[in-house]
Amino acid sequence: RKEVEQDPGPFNVPEGATVAFNCTYSNSASQSFFWYRQDCRKEPKLLMSVYSSGNEDGRFTAQLNRASQYISLLIRDSKLSDSATYLCVVRSNFGNEKLTFGTGTRLTIIP
Amino acid sequence: EPEVTQTPSHQVTQMGQEVILRCVPISNHLYFYWYRQILGQKVEFLVSFYNNEISEKSEIFDDQFSVERPDGSNFTLKIRSTKLEDSAMYFCASSDPGQNNEAFFGQGTRLTVV
């Protein structure tokens, strides 16, 4: 089983729509969870951390279900600039250990 | 805004040659990392470095690879005897406990082995 598993997509979504991504992780000892965004041939950039109680940042909402080892990202009112690959990322502690990346989900927002 | 910088942005090398990829982490960060991403694949951890020594390395990081912090600002990845399959994007990252452990990535070095 992959350490971090995501639907690779692609997701082609009309502008203004809501889109949801899911991710599962295999290591139950994982403590820190993130969504990163990666534009084509660019570096990953942190979109948001994911907290146990769920958290929201503008149009973006992240949820964590530790029992199911499941993470989600919801994007509301999608914009053309949201087109990117969204990476689910897990770390085994709260410190500075390595990040484990999923393969990413490719999102294209259609005008 | 502070950033991680990497040089060169693109390196082409012949198979069997040695390459050195350079990174300047954010100045007050204490943890440094190298990751790689083969085209079309996921980002993979190579090595982490703290307090002037390797703190963790992956199976990928074998004897062909080495890291060094030669001075107070640079962090380098050396790849000896490059192979075709070493062609990838190599990302340097740094983090600091005081910033919620967020890892900041450099823009990457695209290594092409021919």
Side-chain angles (χ1 to χ4, degrees), chain A residues 36 38 41-44 46 87 91 94-99 101-103, chain B residues 31 33 35 37 42-43 45 56 91 95 97 101-103 105-107 110:
Chain A
Y36 275 72
Q38 186 175 30
R41 295 179 178 257
K42 299 287 188 181
E43 75 274 22
L46 180 65
L87 309 175
R91 187 165 60 203
F94 293 111
N96 295 85
E97 288 193 359
K98 67 178 183 184
L99 300 173
F101 286 78
T103 51
Chain B
Y31 297 83
Y33 314 84
Y35 292 82
Q37 187 175 31
K42 67 177 182 178
V43 177
F45 169 76
E56 187 177 2
F91 293 109
S95 68
N101 305 313
E102 178 181 348
F105 284 78
Q107 79 280 16
R110 179 166 299 283

PDB file of all heavy atoms in Angstrom, chain A residues 36 38 41-44 46 87 91 94-99 101-103, chain B residues 31 33 35 37 42-43 45 56 91 95 97 101-103 105-107 110:
ATOM      1  N   TYR A  36      -0.189  20.791  -0.214  1.00  0.00           N
ATOM      2  CA  TYR A  36       0.699  21.648  -0.975  1.00  0.00           C
ATOM      3  C   TYR A  36       0.128  21.808  -2.373  1.00  0.00           C
ATOM      4  O   TYR A  36      -0.607  20.959  -2.871  1.00  0.00           O
ATOM      5  CB  TYR A  36       2.101  21.019  -1.090  1.00  0.00           C
ATOM      6  CG  TYR A  36       3.023  21.289   0.065  1.00  0.00           C
ATOM      7  CD1 TYR A  36       2.826  20.695   1.303  1.00  0.00           C
ATOM      8  CD2 TYR A  36       4.118  22.139  -0.075  1.00  0.00           C
ATOM      9  CE1 TYR A  36       3.679  20.932   2.367  1.00  0.00           C
ATOM     10  CE2 TYR A  36       4.990  22.382   0.972  1.00  0.00           C
ATOM     11  CZ  TYR A  36       4.758  21.773   2.190  1.00  0.00           C
ATOM     12  OH  TYR A  36       5.611  22.018   3.247  1.00  0.00           O
ATOM     13  N   GLN A  38       1.368  22.543  -6.393  1.00  0.00           N
ATOM     14  CA  GLN A  38       2.527  22.558  -7.279  1.00  0.00           C
ATOM     15  C   GLN A  38       2.074  22.941  -8.671  1.00  0.00           C
ATOM     16  O   GLN A  38       1.258  22.246  -9.288  1.00  0.00           O
ATOM     17  CB  GLN A  38       3.241  21.202  -7.300  1.00  0.00           C
ATOM     18  CG  GLN A  38       4.537  21.222  -8.089  1.00  0.00           C
ATOM     19  CD  GLN A  38       5.309  19.921  -8.026  1.00  0.00           C
ATOM     20  OE1 GLN A  38       4.740  18.839  -7.882  1.00  0.00           O
ATOM     21  NE2 GLN A  38       6.645  19.999  -8.111  1.00  0.00           N
ATOM     22  N   ARG A  41       6.174  22.237 -13.301  1.00  0.00           N
ATOM     23  CA  ARG A  41       7.633  22.407 -13.276  1.00  0.00           C
ATOM     24  C   ARG A  41       8.102  23.429 -12.232  1.00  0.00           C
ATOM     25  O   ARG A  41       9.164  24.039 -12.398  1.00  0.00           O
ATOM     26  CB  ARG A  41       8.146  22.783 -14.660  1.00  0.00           C
ATOM     27  CG  ARG A  41       7.940  21.661 -15.669  1.00  0.00           C
ATOM     28  CD  ARG A  41       8.412  22.036 -17.052  1.00  0.00           C
ATOM     29  NE  ARG A  41       8.235  20.919 -17.991  1.00  0.00           N
ATOM     30  CZ  ARG A  41       9.211  20.144 -18.408  1.00  0.00           C
ATOM     31  NH1 ARG A  41      10.446  20.345 -18.001  1.00  0.00           N
ATOM     32  NH2 ARG A  41       8.987  19.156 -19.248  1.00  0.00           N
ATOM     33  N   LYS A  42       7.299  23.622 -11.201  1.00  0.00           N
ATOM     34  CA  LYS A  42       7.682  24.526 -10.117  1.00  0.00           C
ATOM     35  C   LYS A  42       7.816  23.732  -8.821  1.00  0.00           C
ATOM     36  O   LYS A  42       7.500  22.544  -8.760  1.00  0.00           O
ATOM     37  CB  LYS A  42       6.612  25.609  -9.936  1.00  0.00           C
ATOM     38  CG  LYS A  42       6.402  26.472 -11.159  1.00  0.00           C
ATOM     39  CD  LYS A  42       7.549  27.425 -11.365  1.00  0.00           C
ATOM     40  CE  LYS A  42       7.228  28.411 -12.483  1.00  0.00           C
ATOM     41  NZ  LYS A  42       8.358  29.342 -12.723  1.00  0.00           N
ATOM     42  N   GLU A  43       8.258  24.442  -7.780  1.00  0.00           N
ATOM     43  CA  GLU A  43       8.412  23.787  -6.491  1.00  0.00           C
ATOM     44  C   GLU A  43       7.066  23.674  -5.779  1.00  0.00           C
ATOM     45  O   GLU A  43       6.157  24.473  -6.014  1.00  0.00           O
ATOM     46  CB  GLU A  43       9.412  24.581  -5.614  1.00  0.00           C
ATOM     47  CG  GLU A  43       8.898  25.884  -5.021  1.00  0.00           C
ATOM     48  CD  GLU A  43       9.052  27.059  -5.963  1.00  0.00           C
ATOM     49  OE1 GLU A  43       9.153  26.851  -7.189  1.00  0.00           O
ATOM     50  OE2 GLU A  43       9.069  28.197  -5.450  1.00  0.00           O
ATOM     51  N   PRO A  44       6.941  22.696  -4.868  1.00  0.00           N
ATOM     52  CA  PRO A  44       5.730  22.618  -4.047  1.00  0.00           C
ATOM     53  C   PRO A  44       5.669  23.828  -3.109  1.00  0.00           C
ATOM     54  O   PRO A  44       6.680  24.251  -2.561  1.00  0.00           O
ATOM     55  CB  PRO A  44       5.932  21.329  -3.233  1.00  0.00           C
ATOM     56  CG  PRO A  44       7.032  20.593  -3.912  1.00  0.00           C
ATOM     57  CD  PRO A  44       7.890  21.611  -4.569  1.00  0.00           C
ATOM     58  N   LEU A  46       3.352  25.364   0.221  1.00  0.00           N
ATOM     59  CA  LEU A  46       2.350  25.039   1.230  1.00  0.00           C
ATOM     60  C   LEU A  46       1.059  25.810   0.985  1.00  0.00           C
ATOM     61  O   LEU A  46       1.060  27.043   0.910  1.00  0.00           O
ATOM     62  CB  LEU A  46       2.891  25.348   2.627  1.00  0.00           C
ATOM     63  CG  LEU A  46       1.945  25.048   3.775  1.00  0.00           C
ATOM     64  CD1 LEU A  46       1.671  23.547   3.870  1.00  0.00           C
ATOM     65  CD2 LEU A  46       2.499  25.569   5.096  1.00  0.00           C
ATOM     66  N   LEU A  87      -1.020  18.431  -3.757  1.00  0.00           N
ATOM     67  CA  LEU A  87      -0.255  17.346  -3.154  1.00  0.00           C
ATOM     68  C   LEU A  87      -0.682  17.155  -1.703  1.00  0.00           C
ATOM     69  O   LEU A  87      -0.653  18.101  -0.907  1.00  0.00           O
ATOM     70  CB  LEU A  87       1.239  17.673  -3.188  1.00  0.00           C
ATOM     71  CG  LEU A  87       1.820  18.093  -4.540  1.00  0.00           C
ATOM     72  CD1 LEU A  87       3.284  18.499  -4.374  1.00  0.00           C
ATOM     73  CD2 LEU A  87       1.702  16.962  -5.544  1.00  0.00           C
ATOM     74  N   ARG A  91       3.579  13.993   7.616  1.00  0.00           N
ATOM     75  CA  ARG A  91       4.840  13.901   8.368  1.00  0.00           C
ATOM     76  C   ARG A  91       4.575  13.098   9.627  1.00  0.00           C
ATOM     77  O   ARG A  91       3.507  13.197  10.226  1.00  0.00           O
ATOM     78  CB  ARG A  91       5.361  15.296   8.699  1.00  0.00           C
ATOM     79  CG  ARG A  91       6.751  15.302   9.327  1.00  0.00           C
ATOM     80  CD  ARG A  91       7.370  16.688   9.295  1.00  0.00           C
ATOM     81  NE  ARG A  91       6.573  17.653  10.004  1.00  0.00           N
ATOM     82  CZ  ARG A  91       6.623  18.970   9.773  1.00  0.00           C
ATOM     83  NH1 ARG A  91       7.427  19.445   8.866  1.00  0.00           N
ATOM     84  NH2 ARG A  91       5.880  19.772  10.470  1.00  0.00           N
ATOM     85  N   PHE A  94       5.506  16.112  14.847  1.00  0.00           N
ATOM     86  CA  PHE A  94       5.237  17.544  14.780  1.00  0.00           C
ATOM     87  C   PHE A  94       6.508  18.349  14.556  1.00  0.00           C
ATOM     88  O   PHE A  94       6.468  19.562  14.505  1.00  0.00           O
ATOM     89  CB  PHE A  94       4.590  18.014  16.092  1.00  0.00           C
ATOM     90  CG  PHE A  94       3.222  17.444  16.307  1.00  0.00           C
ATOM     91  CD1 PHE A  94       2.990  16.515  17.305  1.00  0.00           C
ATOM     92  CD2 PHE A  94       2.152  17.818  15.507  1.00  0.00           C
ATOM     93  CE1 PHE A  94       1.725  15.981  17.508  1.00  0.00           C
ATOM     94  CE2 PHE A  94       0.885  17.297  15.701  1.00  0.00           C
ATOM     95  CZ  PHE A  94       0.674  16.370  16.705  1.00  0.00           C
ATOM     96  N   GLY A  95       7.616  17.650  14.457  1.00  0.00           N
ATOM     97  CA  GLY A  95       8.895  18.331  14.362  1.00  0.00           C
ATOM     98  C   GLY A  95       9.327  18.583  12.946  1.00  0.00           C
ATOM     99  O   GLY A  95       8.541  19.018  12.113  1.00  0.00           O
ATOM    100  N   ASN A  96      10.553  18.259  12.667  1.00  0.00           N
ATOM    101  CA  ASN A  96      11.141  18.611  11.385  1.00  0.00           C
ATOM    102  C   ASN A  96      11.562  17.389  10.596  1.00  0.00           C
ATOM    103  O   ASN A  96      12.512  17.438   9.826  1.00  0.00           O
ATOM    104  CB  ASN A  96      12.326  19.546  11.618  1.00  0.00           C
ATOM    105  CG  ASN A  96      11.882  20.860  12.211  1.00  0.00           C
ATOM    106  OD1 ASN A  96      11.728  20.978  13.423  1.00  0.00           O
ATOM    107  ND2 ASN A  96      11.612  21.825  11.362  1.00  0.00           N
ATOM    108  N   GLU A  97      10.863  16.296  10.779  1.00  0.00           N
ATOM    109  CA  GLU A  97      11.169  15.097  10.013  1.00  0.00           C
ATOM    110  C   GLU A  97      10.738  15.263   8.556  1.00  0.00           C
ATOM    111  O   GLU A  97      10.075  16.227   8.189  1.00  0.00           O
ATOM    112  CB  GLU A  97      10.506  13.882  10.645  1.00  0.00           C
ATOM    113  CG  GLU A  97      11.167  13.454  11.944  1.00  0.00           C
ATOM    114  CD  GLU A  97      10.712  12.086  12.398  1.00  0.00           C
ATOM    115  OE1 GLU A  97       9.868  11.476  11.731  1.00  0.00           O
ATOM    116  OE2 GLU A  97      11.199  11.635  13.438  1.00  0.00           O
ATOM    117  N   LYS A  98      11.085  14.268   7.774  1.00  0.00           N
ATOM    118  CA  LYS A  98      10.818  14.325   6.343  1.00  0.00           C
ATOM    119  C   LYS A  98       9.323  14.423   6.068  1.00  0.00           C
ATOM    120  O   LYS A  98       8.483  13.989   6.858  1.00  0.00           O
ATOM    121  CB  LYS A  98      11.354  13.056   5.667  1.00  0.00           C
ATOM    122  CG  LYS A  98      10.581  11.812   6.089  1.00  0.00           C
ATOM    123  CD  LYS A  98      11.087  10.579   5.392  1.00  0.00           C
ATOM    124  CE  LYS A  98      10.229   9.381   5.807  1.00  0.00           C
ATOM    125  NZ  LYS A  98      10.715   8.120   5.235  1.00  0.00           N
ATOM    126  N   LEU A  99       9.022  14.990   4.906  1.00  0.00           N
ATOM    127  CA  LEU A  99       7.662  15.006   4.394  1.00  0.00           C
ATOM    128  C   LEU A  99       7.484  13.836   3.428  1.00  0.00           C
ATOM    129  O   LEU A  99       8.386  13.534   2.646  1.00  0.00           O
ATOM    130  CB  LEU A  99       7.394  16.315   3.653  1.00  0.00           C
ATOM    131  CG  LEU A  99       7.531  17.601   4.481  1.00  0.00           C
ATOM    132  CD1 LEU A  99       7.402  18.819   3.575  1.00  0.00           C
ATOM    133  CD2 LEU A  99       6.494  17.643   5.591  1.00  0.00           C
ATOM    134  N   PHE A 101       5.095  12.625   0.383  1.00  0.00           N
ATOM    135  CA  PHE A 101       4.167  13.215  -0.574  1.00  0.00           C
ATOM    136  C   PHE A 101       3.313  12.154  -1.251  1.00  0.00           C
ATOM    137  O   PHE A 101       3.780  11.051  -1.552  1.00  0.00           O
ATOM    138  CB  PHE A 101       4.940  13.957  -1.666  1.00  0.00           C
ATOM    139  CG  PHE A 101       5.543  15.258  -1.236  1.00  0.00           C
ATOM    140  CD1 PHE A 101       6.716  15.279  -0.496  1.00  0.00           C
ATOM    141  CD2 PHE A 101       4.952  16.460  -1.583  1.00  0.00           C
ATOM    142  CE1 PHE A 101       7.274  16.481  -0.093  1.00  0.00           C
ATOM    143  CE2 PHE A 101       5.507  17.668  -1.199  1.00  0.00           C
ATOM    144  CZ  PHE A 101       6.675  17.686  -0.452  1.00  0.00           C
ATOM    145  N   GLY A 102       2.066  12.516  -1.541  1.00  0.00           N
ATOM    146  CA  GLY A 102       1.269  11.743  -2.464  1.00  0.00           C
ATOM    147  C   GLY A 102       1.653  12.117  -3.893  1.00  0.00           C
ATOM    148  O   GLY A 102       2.441  13.038  -4.125  1.00  0.00           O
ATOM    149  N   THR A 103       1.092  11.394  -4.842  1.00  0.00           N
ATOM    150  CA  THR A 103       1.425  11.641  -6.246  1.00  0.00           C
ATOM    151  C   THR A 103       0.780  12.915  -6.775  1.00  0.00           C
ATOM    152  O   THR A 103       1.184  13.431  -7.813  1.00  0.00           O
ATOM    153  CB  THR A 103       0.980  10.475  -7.134  1.00  0.00           C
ATOM    154  OG1 THR A 103      -0.395  10.191  -6.854  1.00  0.00           O
ATOM    155  CG2 THR A 103       1.796   9.228  -6.854  1.00  0.00           C
TER     156      THR A 103
ATOM    157  N   TYR B  31      17.148  23.193   9.743  1.00  0.00           N
ATOM    158  CA  TYR B  31      16.960  21.882   9.143  1.00  0.00           C
ATOM    159  C   TYR B  31      16.981  22.034   7.628  1.00  0.00           C
ATOM    160  O   TYR B  31      16.327  22.937   7.085  1.00  0.00           O
ATOM    161  CB  TYR B  31      15.617  21.277   9.581  1.00  0.00           C
ATOM    162  CG  TYR B  31      15.526  21.019  11.062  1.00  0.00           C
ATOM    163  CD1 TYR B  31      15.173  22.034  11.942  1.00  0.00           C
ATOM    164  CD2 TYR B  31      15.785  19.750  11.575  1.00  0.00           C
ATOM    165  CE1 TYR B  31      15.097  21.810  13.301  1.00  0.00           C
ATOM    166  CE2 TYR B  31      15.698  19.510  12.937  1.00  0.00           C
ATOM    167  CZ  TYR B  31      15.362  20.540  13.789  1.00  0.00           C
ATOM    168  OH  TYR B  31      15.279  20.299  15.143  1.00  0.00           O
ATOM    169  N   TYR B  33      16.977  19.916   3.704  1.00  0.00           N
ATOM    170  CA  TYR B  33      16.504  18.692   3.055  1.00  0.00           C
ATOM    171  C   TYR B  33      16.805  18.740   1.561  1.00  0.00           C
ATOM    172  O   TYR B  33      16.863  19.816   0.954  1.00  0.00           O
ATOM    173  CB  TYR B  33      14.972  18.547   3.197  1.00  0.00           C
ATOM    174  CG  TYR B  33      14.430  18.807   4.571  1.00  0.00           C
ATOM    175  CD1 TYR B  33      14.157  20.101   4.995  1.00  0.00           C
ATOM    176  CD2 TYR B  33      14.169  17.754   5.448  1.00  0.00           C
ATOM    177  CE1 TYR B  33      13.646  20.352   6.262  1.00  0.00           C
ATOM    178  CE2 TYR B  33      13.649  17.998   6.718  1.00  0.00           C
ATOM    179  CZ  TYR B  33      13.402  19.300   7.113  1.00  0.00           C
ATOM    180  OH  TYR B  33      12.892  19.536   8.360  1.00  0.00           O
ATOM    181  N   TYR B  35      15.024  16.789  -1.796  1.00  0.00           N
ATOM    182  CA  TYR B  35      13.990  15.942  -2.370  1.00  0.00           C
ATOM    183  C   TYR B  35      14.237  15.875  -3.867  1.00  0.00           C
ATOM    184  O   TYR B  35      14.881  16.753  -4.447  1.00  0.00           O
ATOM    185  CB  TYR B  35      12.588  16.526  -2.132  1.00  0.00           C
ATOM    186  CG  TYR B  35      12.117  16.523  -0.703  1.00  0.00           C
ATOM    187  CD1 TYR B  35      12.511  17.524   0.191  1.00  0.00           C
ATOM    188  CD2 TYR B  35      11.266  15.528  -0.236  1.00  0.00           C
ATOM    189  CE1 TYR B  35      12.069  17.517   1.514  1.00  0.00           C
ATOM    190  CE2 TYR B  35      10.815  15.520   1.080  1.00  0.00           C
ATOM    191  CZ  TYR B  35      11.222  16.516   1.942  1.00  0.00           C
ATOM    192  OH  TYR B  35      10.780  16.507   3.243  1.00  0.00           O
ATOM    193  N   GLN B  37      12.164  14.820  -7.771  1.00  0.00           N
ATOM    194  CA  GLN B  37      10.912  14.498  -8.451  1.00  0.00           C
ATOM    195  C   GLN B  37      11.240  14.128  -9.882  1.00  0.00           C
ATOM    196  O   GLN B  37      11.588  14.994 -10.694  1.00  0.00           O
ATOM    197  CB  GLN B  37       9.934  15.680  -8.399  1.00  0.00           C
ATOM    198  CG  GLN B  37       8.559  15.357  -8.945  1.00  0.00           C
ATOM    199  CD  GLN B  37       7.581  16.503  -8.762  1.00  0.00           C
ATOM    200  OE1 GLN B  37       7.946  17.666  -8.774  1.00  0.00           O
ATOM    201  NE2 GLN B  37       6.311  16.172  -8.590  1.00  0.00           N
ATOM    202  N   LYS B  42       5.964  11.382  -8.109  1.00  0.00           N
ATOM    203  CA  LYS B  42       5.793  12.151  -6.878  1.00  0.00           C
ATOM    204  C   LYS B  42       7.120  12.701  -6.372  1.00  0.00           C
ATOM    205  O   LYS B  42       8.200  12.256  -6.776  1.00  0.00           O
ATOM    206  CB  LYS B  42       5.149  11.273  -5.804  1.00  0.00           C
ATOM    207  CG  LYS B  42       6.039  10.137  -5.324  1.00  0.00           C
ATOM    208  CD  LYS B  42       5.361   9.354  -4.210  1.00  0.00           C
ATOM    209  CE  LYS B  42       6.268   8.253  -3.705  1.00  0.00           C
ATOM    210  NZ  LYS B  42       5.657   7.497  -2.598  1.00  0.00           N
ATOM    211  N   VAL B  43       7.016  13.662  -5.489  1.00  0.00           N
ATOM    212  CA  VAL B  43       8.189  14.200  -4.810  1.00  0.00           C
ATOM    213  C   VAL B  43       8.674  13.162  -3.795  1.00  0.00           C
ATOM    214  O   VAL B  43       7.886  12.666  -2.985  1.00  0.00           O
ATOM    215  CB  VAL B  43       7.838  15.524  -4.106  1.00  0.00           C
ATOM    216  CG1 VAL B  43       9.033  16.056  -3.334  1.00  0.00           C
ATOM    217  CG2 VAL B  43       7.334  16.554  -5.116  1.00  0.00           C
ATOM    218  N   PHE B  45      11.585  12.033  -0.828  1.00  0.00           N
ATOM    219  CA  PHE B  45      12.590  12.463   0.140  1.00  0.00           C
ATOM    220  C   PHE B  45      13.923  11.765  -0.141  1.00  0.00           C
ATOM    221  O   PHE B  45      13.973  10.563  -0.397  1.00  0.00           O
ATOM    222  CB  PHE B  45      12.107  12.118   1.544  1.00  0.00           C
ATOM    223  CG  PHE B  45      13.133  12.257   2.622  1.00  0.00           C
ATOM    224  CD1 PHE B  45      13.503  13.499   3.093  1.00  0.00           C
ATOM    225  CD2 PHE B  45      13.731  11.126   3.172  1.00  0.00           C
ATOM    226  CE1 PHE B  45      14.443  13.626   4.105  1.00  0.00           C
ATOM    227  CE2 PHE B  45      14.674  11.231   4.182  1.00  0.00           C
ATOM    228  CZ  PHE B  45      15.034  12.489   4.647  1.00  0.00           C
ATOM    229  N   GLU B  56      18.465  11.917   8.652  1.00  0.00           N
ATOM    230  CA  GLU B  56      17.701  10.808   8.083  1.00  0.00           C
ATOM    231  C   GLU B  56      18.002  10.739   6.596  1.00  0.00           C
ATOM    232  O   GLU B  56      18.248  11.767   5.970  1.00  0.00           O
ATOM    233  CB  GLU B  56      16.194  11.003   8.298  1.00  0.00           C
ATOM    234  CG  GLU B  56      15.347   9.831   7.894  1.00  0.00           C
ATOM    235  CD  GLU B  56      13.863  10.034   8.178  1.00  0.00           C
ATOM    236  OE1 GLU B  56      13.473  11.119   8.671  1.00  0.00           O
ATOM    237  OE2 GLU B  56      13.093   9.100   7.907  1.00  0.00           O
ATOM    238  N   PHE B  91      14.874  19.304  -5.451  1.00  0.00           N
ATOM    239  CA  PHE B  91      14.438  20.431  -4.636  1.00  0.00           C
ATOM    240  C   PHE B  91      15.170  20.431  -3.298  1.00  0.00           C
ATOM    241  O   PHE B  91      15.249  19.398  -2.628  1.00  0.00           O
ATOM    242  CB  PHE B  91      12.935  20.340  -4.349  1.00  0.00           C
ATOM    243  CG  PHE B  91      12.060  20.511  -5.546  1.00  0.00           C
ATOM    244  CD1 PHE B  91      11.367  19.436  -6.081  1.00  0.00           C
ATOM    245  CD2 PHE B  91      11.898  21.762  -6.133  1.00  0.00           C
ATOM    246  CE1 PHE B  91      10.541  19.590  -7.188  1.00  0.00           C
ATOM    247  CE2 PHE B  91      11.075  21.934  -7.241  1.00  0.00           C
ATOM    248  CZ  PHE B  91      10.400  20.837  -7.769  1.00  0.00           C
ATOM    249  N   SER B  95      13.693  24.334   7.011  1.00  0.00           N
ATOM    250  CA  SER B  95      12.606  24.592   7.956  1.00  0.00           C
ATOM    251  C   SER B  95      13.193  24.997   9.296  1.00  0.00           C
ATOM    252  O   SER B  95      14.391  24.803   9.572  1.00  0.00           O
ATOM    253  CB  SER B  95      11.712  23.366   8.123  1.00  0.00           C
ATOM    254  OG  SER B  95      12.408  22.320   8.780  1.00  0.00           O
ATOM    255  N   PRO B  97      11.886  25.214  13.601  1.00  0.00           N
ATOM    256  CA  PRO B  97      10.807  24.919  14.554  1.00  0.00           C
ATOM    257  C   PRO B  97       9.973  26.133  14.923  1.00  0.00           C
ATOM    258  O   PRO B  97       8.811  26.024  15.267  1.00  0.00           O
ATOM    259  CB  PRO B  97      11.567  24.384  15.780  1.00  0.00           C
ATOM    260  CG  PRO B  97      12.875  23.941  15.267  1.00  0.00           C
ATOM    261  CD  PRO B  97      13.195  24.823  14.093  1.00  0.00           C
ATOM    262  N   ASN B 101       7.329  24.616  11.833  1.00  0.00           N
ATOM    263  CA  ASN B 101       8.007  23.536  11.101  1.00  0.00           C
ATOM    264  C   ASN B 101       7.696  23.540   9.614  1.00  0.00           C
ATOM    265  O   ASN B 101       7.886  22.523   8.947  1.00  0.00           O
ATOM    266  CB  ASN B 101       7.640  22.173  11.697  1.00  0.00           C
ATOM    267  CG  ASN B 101       7.929  22.116  13.165  1.00  0.00           C
ATOM    268  OD1 ASN B 101       8.994  22.510  13.605  1.00  0.00           O
ATOM    269  ND2 ASN B 101       6.965  21.655  13.947  1.00  0.00           N
ATOM    270  N   GLU B 102       7.192  24.637   9.087  1.00  0.00           N
ATOM    271  CA  GLU B 102       6.882  24.679   7.669  1.00  0.00           C
ATOM    272  C   GLU B 102       8.171  24.545   6.875  1.00  0.00           C
ATOM    273  O   GLU B 102       9.174  25.210   7.151  1.00  0.00           O
ATOM    274  CB  GLU B 102       6.196  25.984   7.294  1.00  0.00           C
ATOM    275  CG  GLU B 102       5.893  26.090   5.791  1.00  0.00           C
ATOM    276  CD  GLU B 102       5.239  27.394   5.404  1.00  0.00           C
ATOM    277  OE1 GLU B 102       4.806  28.137   6.297  1.00  0.00           O
ATOM    278  OE2 GLU B 102       5.176  27.668   4.184  1.00  0.00           O
ATOM    279  N   ALA B 103       8.150  23.676   5.871  1.00  0.00           N
ATOM    280  CA  ALA B 103       9.291  23.493   4.986  1.00  0.00           C
ATOM    281  C   ALA B 103       9.126  24.409   3.778  1.00  0.00           C
ATOM    282  O   ALA B 103       8.093  24.385   3.117  1.00  0.00           O
ATOM    283  CB  ALA B 103       9.399  22.035   4.541  1.00  0.00           C
ATOM    284  N   PHE B 105      10.503  25.407   0.101  1.00  0.00           N
ATOM    285  CA  PHE B 105      11.224  24.765  -0.992  1.00  0.00           C
ATOM    286  C   PHE B 105      11.868  25.795  -1.912  1.00  0.00           C
ATOM    287  O   PHE B 105      11.299  26.867  -2.163  1.00  0.00           O
ATOM    288  CB  PHE B 105      10.268  23.894  -1.814  1.00  0.00           C
ATOM    289  CG  PHE B 105       9.909  22.603  -1.144  1.00  0.00           C
ATOM    290  CD1 PHE B 105       8.981  22.567  -0.121  1.00  0.00           C
ATOM    291  CD2 PHE B 105      10.518  21.421  -1.528  1.00  0.00           C
ATOM    292  CE1 PHE B 105       8.652  21.377   0.512  1.00  0.00           C
ATOM    293  CE2 PHE B 105      10.197  20.220  -0.906  1.00  0.00           C
ATOM    294  CZ  PHE B 105       9.269  20.193   0.113  1.00  0.00           C
ATOM    295  N   GLY B 106      13.040  25.453  -2.420  1.00  0.00           N
ATOM    296  CA  GLY B 106      13.645  26.227  -3.488  1.00  0.00           C
ATOM    297  C   GLY B 106      12.963  25.925  -4.807  1.00  0.00           C
ATOM    298  O   GLY B 106      12.131  25.012  -4.899  1.00  0.00           O
ATOM    299  N   GLN B 107      13.327  26.672  -5.823  1.00  0.00           N
ATOM    300  CA  GLN B 107      12.653  26.545  -7.118  1.00  0.00           C
ATOM    301  C   GLN B 107      13.108  25.313  -7.885  1.00  0.00           C
ATOM    302  O   GLN B 107      12.538  24.963  -8.904  1.00  0.00           O
ATOM    303  CB  GLN B 107      12.863  27.815  -7.956  1.00  0.00           C
ATOM    304  CG  GLN B 107      14.212  27.906  -8.651  1.00  0.00           C
ATOM    305  CD  GLN B 107      15.359  28.363  -7.758  1.00  0.00           C
ATOM    306  OE1 GLN B 107      15.277  28.366  -6.530  1.00  0.00           O
ATOM    307  NE2 GLN B 107      16.442  28.769  -8.388  1.00  0.00           N
ATOM    308  N   ARG B 110      16.802  21.377 -12.344  1.00  0.00           N
ATOM    309  CA  ARG B 110      16.458  20.291 -13.261  1.00  0.00           C
ATOM    310  C   ARG B 110      17.745  19.647 -13.742  1.00  0.00           C
ATOM    311  O   ARG B 110      18.546  20.299 -14.421  1.00  0.00           O
ATOM    312  CB  ARG B 110      15.645  20.814 -14.449  1.00  0.00           C
ATOM    313  CG  ARG B 110      15.290  19.717 -15.452  1.00  0.00           C
ATOM    314  CD  ARG B 110      14.213  20.158 -16.424  1.00  0.00           C
ATOM    315  NE  ARG B 110      12.983  20.501 -15.738  1.00  0.00           N
ATOM    316  CZ  ARG B 110      12.110  19.621 -15.251  1.00  0.00           C
ATOM    317  NH1 ARG B 110      12.343  18.323 -15.395  1.00  0.00           N
ATOM    318  NH2 ARG B 110      11.018  20.022 -14.655  1.00  0.00           N
TER     319      ARG B 110
END
